[in-house]
Amino acid sequence: MAEIRQRIIHRRAELGYDRRTFPTFGAAAYPGVPEDMDYDTDLYHYLRLANETFAAAETAPLLAPSPATRVPILGKVWQIIRASAHSLVLFYVNRAVAHQTTVNSHLVSTLNRMAVVMEQQQRTIQTLQAELEALRRTER
Amino acid sequence: MRVAVVTPRYGLDLGGGAENQARGFAEEAARLGWTVEVWTTCAQDHYTWQNALPAGPSSLNGVTIHRFPITHWDPSLRAEQEQRLQTRQHLSVFQQYQWLHSGPHSAPLYRHVAAQAAHFDAIIMLPYANPLVHYAAQVVPDRTILWPCLHDEAYAYLEPVRLTLESVWGVMFNSPEEATLACRKLGMTPQHHAILGEGVLPLPSPRITEVGDHLLYVGRLEEGKNLLQLYEFVERYNRERGALSLTVVGRGPLRPPHHPAFEFLGFVDEQSKVDACAGALALCQPSLNESFSLVIMESWLAGRPVLVHGECPVTRGHVRRSKGGLFYSTYPEFAEAVEWLREHPELATRMGQNGRAYVQKNYTWAAVTHRFQCLIQTWQRPIP
């Protein structure tokens, strides 16, 4: 097993995967904080939270026992009726949640991409600023 | 020809598409007189991976099977990564390899692959969404042919999957659309690749000759099959245009709503399934994500057209090439397609016949094994 893991590491290096970027599934992935420039910490904090939570939805039936469900025979019947009612509601709620999760996914993907584009623009600005400084120094 | 097939589970009634594909291929190879062995695990359940079957050699329908126990399996780590994948979260490279290392794995199986591979012309491994296949492929990449059954889903985007596809001797796809997904959309560069397709086993003759006016769905009753949309479309058709019923065959949590438009048959035997196909106006395949879709082939073999979702490249590709059905993307397209099939019964039957001819020409196991022989010969030939 250890030998196979070593082969995987070796093959990965051979194919140069560390230097390459690959497509990601569905949502554009959270880009992570930039390491080579200053950044707005709040922006990346909330972006990370949005990525971690956009798909989390509680849609399981919540059927806590109540005094009524403890009544012999009738309690069980009542429990079955309650479970059916919850399932019916969940059928429709799950549809709405699935749709909302898709929308959330698109919104979070958009934000992730915007963060990446902003980073690229910031790098371009920094390069241009450096060139401008150099030109000014030459003129002087 | 000497071929070994590596697959995490093998046997009758396992239910998985890739497992049936492995068995269909192995049994046809054995029937042709090839030396064929299946190297698999003792597991039957793909949730628990418990070693339910005895380790060692056995035989099934003329195929020699060697079973090995699962030795490494970290369900909690696996569940953690699976949850991230299912909720479309970003997995770091480290987490992607955690998914791979969490298993299931079988060290004795990997040792067997290393010791025996040299005695075979090719080692076929499938399916791609299982870590065991990737470890086994790294043992003998130069002899491995991956038959991935790739879907446009989260697993396909994992780096370990790319690593295997780009490391092995060759990759066999089930359809041109699957090859497009791997090579264009994902930008993978396998050493060799070819479209092999999958085989369809001959079905019993239908016992009924009269065609009904209802649609049919056959398959797993899961959200991933886009079933909710089909249920919704059928209900809406009933509200807006008149009676249309949908017969639902299969197992799973997403049973049809309690509404007169739906008839739920549950899991049925092969003969009943053929009868259901032969008696339907058309088989509807609403899934957006198929790597082959056996059920549409079965409907065609029963002589009936299919109605598929236009956003699934694979099923739409089959329909276009075969002229064996129609496709839809929106409700108005769905409703018009149903109307058209109802108003043109003769043309609908002809579509079914087109589909049958398409399956018989391309997707019998005899055709698949013949293509396999040809591709092995081509790949073995030294590049000039």
Side-chain angles (χ1 to χ4, degrees):
Chain A
M1 297 284 284
E3 195 188 321
I4 296 173
R5 287 186 186 206
Q6 279 306 315
R7 281 183 193 196
I8 289 169
I9 293 166
H10 178 71
R11 183 71 183 139
R12 194 176 172 272
E14 215 172 59
L15 293 171
Y17 279 9
D18 271 335
R19 300 184 302 278
R20 295 166 62 186
T21 51
F22 302 120
T24 51
F25 178 65
Y30 171 61
V33 294
E35 288 170 357
D36 56 343
M37 65 172 82
D38 292 337
Y39 60 89
D40 185 315
T41 48
D42 277 354
L43 170 70
Y44 282 90
H45 172 70
Y46 288 114
L47 190 58
R48 182 176 59 77
L49 290 182
N51 275 274
E52 285 172 4
T53 54
F54 77 83
E58 189 69 50
T59 51
L62 196 63
L63 289 163
S66 70
T69 59
R70 289 187 202 110
V71 176
I73 303 169
L74 282 176
K76 281 191 178 166
V77 174
W78 175 234
Q79 183 73 353
I80 291 166
I81 293 168
R82 275 179 77 203
S84 304
H86 279 247
S87 298
L88 180 67
V89 172
L90 280 176
F91 177 79
Y92 290 102
V93 168
N94 276 331
R95 286 168 58 171
V97 168
H99 174 69
Q100 189 58 51
T101 305
T102 308
V103 174
N104 292 351
S105 165
H106 295 328
L107 291 174
V108 170
S109 299
T110 307
L111 291 173
N112 288 338
R113 282 307 300 159
M114 281 170 71
V116 171
V117 171
M118 269 168 51
E119 281 175 28
Q120 286 164 349
Q121 287 175 344
Q122 192 57 40
R123 284 193 189 93
T124 311
I125 290 168
Q126 283 175 347
T127 312
L128 291 172
Q129 272 176 336
E131 283 175 11
L132 191 62
E133 280 299 313
L135 280 171
R136 278 181 182 153
R137 273 199 298 271
T138 328
E139 274 179 15
R140 273 186 222 131
Chain B
M1 180 81 75
R2 295 176 64 88
V3 183
V5 178
V6 175
T7 186
R9 298 185 304 146
Y10 189 88
L12 298 169
D13 302 327
L14 288 176
E19 286 80 1
N20 287 338
Q21 190 171 318
R23 193 162 62 83
F25 181 88
E27 288 179 3
E28 177 67 16
R31 205 187 58 76
L32 291 171
W34 300 0
T35 300
V36 57
E37 288 189 6
V38 172
W39 303 339
T40 186
T41 73
C42 301
Q44 273 187 311
D45 187 317
H46 66 296
Y47 290 108
T48 64
W49 292 104
Q50 278 184 345
N51 291 311
L53 300 165
S58 58
S59 178
L60 177 68
N61 296 338
V63 177
T64 305
I65 306 165
H66 291 274
R67 290 190 190 277
F68 303 89
I70 295 285
T71 51
H72 297 71
W73 165 229
D74 186 340
S76 58
L77 184 61
R78 176 71 187 267
E80 204 180 297
Q81 307 311 345
E82 285 286 336
Q83 196 190 0
R84 285 201 175 95
L85 287 169
Q86 298 310 325
T87 52
R88 297 183 164 214
Q89 289 181 42
H90 174 67
L91 266 71
S92 66
V93 172
F94 177 75
Q95 287 167 332
Q96 292 179 40
Y97 282 94
Q98 271 192 327
W99 170 84
L100 177 71
H101 300 322
S102 64
H105 291 295
S106 169
L109 170 59
Y110 304 143
R111 282 197 290 275
H112 185 80
V113 173
Q116 298 298 320
H119 306 302
F120 292 84
D121 296 308
I123 318 294
I124 300 171
M125 301 194 187
L126 73 164
Y128 86 103
N130 191 293
L132 181 139
V133 167
H134 299 277
Y135 264 44
Q138 291 299 337
V139 174
V140 283
D142 296 343
R143 276 184 191 272
T144 297
I145 297 180
L146 189 69
W147 200 1
C149 311
L150 208 64
H151 293 62
D152 193 358
E153 61 186 356
Y155 301 110
Y157 292 74
L158 293 175
E159 196 189 280
V161 170
R162 173 182 297 273
L163 188 78
T164 304
L165 261 96
E166 293 186 344
S167 301
V168 295
W169 180 29
V171 182
M172 308 188 297
F173 295 110
N174 278 340
S175 68
E177 293 77 17
E178 189 191 352
T180 303
L181 167 66
C183 302
R184 290 210 194 145
K185 188 167 182 185
L186 299 172
M188 293 172 174
T189 49
Q191 293 177 28
H192 298 95
H193 73 274
I195 317 293
L196 186 75
E198 190 183 335
V200 184
L201 291 169
L203 297 169
S205 301
R207 291 173 299 198
I208 55 168
T209 50
E210 202 166 310
V211 176
D213 196 29
H214 60 278
L215 293 180
L216 173 72
Y217 172 84
V218 179
R220 290 198 304 273
L221 311 183
E222 292 173 355
E223 203 172 339
K225 295 285 178 190
N226 198 27
L227 252 181
L228 282 176
Q229 191 192 55
L230 179 61
Y231 292 161
E232 191 184 314
F233 283 4
V234 171
E235 274 190 295
R236 189 169 164 193
Y237 189 101
N238 276 269
R239 277 198 312 274
E240 295 179 3
R241 298 196 180 217
L244 170 69
S245 63
L246 174 72
T247 302
V248 179
V249 173
R251 268 194 289 235
L254 219 62
R255 291 187 178 191
H258 292 290
H259 184 285
F262 301 98
E263 186 191 12
F264 176 57
L265 300 184
F267 187 80
V268 298
D269 61 32
E270 204 70 358
Q271 181 66 58
S272 306
K273 186 170 74 175
V274 173
D275 292 345
C277 286
L281 176 68
L283 176 124
C284 192
Q285 171 57 286
S287 174
L288 303 171
N289 204 359
E290 294 291 308
S291 92
F292 185 71
S293 189
L294 260 181
V295 289
I296 67 172
M297 306 292 160
E298 289 173 348
S299 175
W300 282 333
L301 284 180
R304 296 308 301 160
V306 298
L307 190 54
V308 304
H309 203 293
E311 284 168 33
C312 176
V314 171
T315 51
R316 191 185 59 215
H318 282 314
V319 164
R320 278 194 164 147
R321 286 188 291 275
S322 66
K323 298 180 176 62
L326 299 171
F327 53 87
Y328 66 91
S329 294
T330 59
Y331 170 73
E333 288 172 6
F334 170 82
E336 287 304 320
V338 172
E339 296 277 296
W340 190 91
L341 290 168
R342 286 177 150 180
E343 286 166 9
H344 302 88
E346 284 175 13
L347 289 175
T349 302
R350 200 186 299 169
M351 280 180 167
Q353 288 163 353
N354 289 344
R356 185 191 286 153
Y358 174 74
V359 179
Q360 286 171 341
K361 185 180 172 197
N362 298 295
Y363 298 118
T364 59
W365 277 116
V368 171
T369 46
H370 175 70
R371 278 199 293 274
F372 177 76
Q373 262 184 314
C374 295
L375 78 85
I376 288 286
Q377 282 162 9
T378 312
W379 292 356
Q380 279 174 338
R381 216 174 288 147
I383 299 163

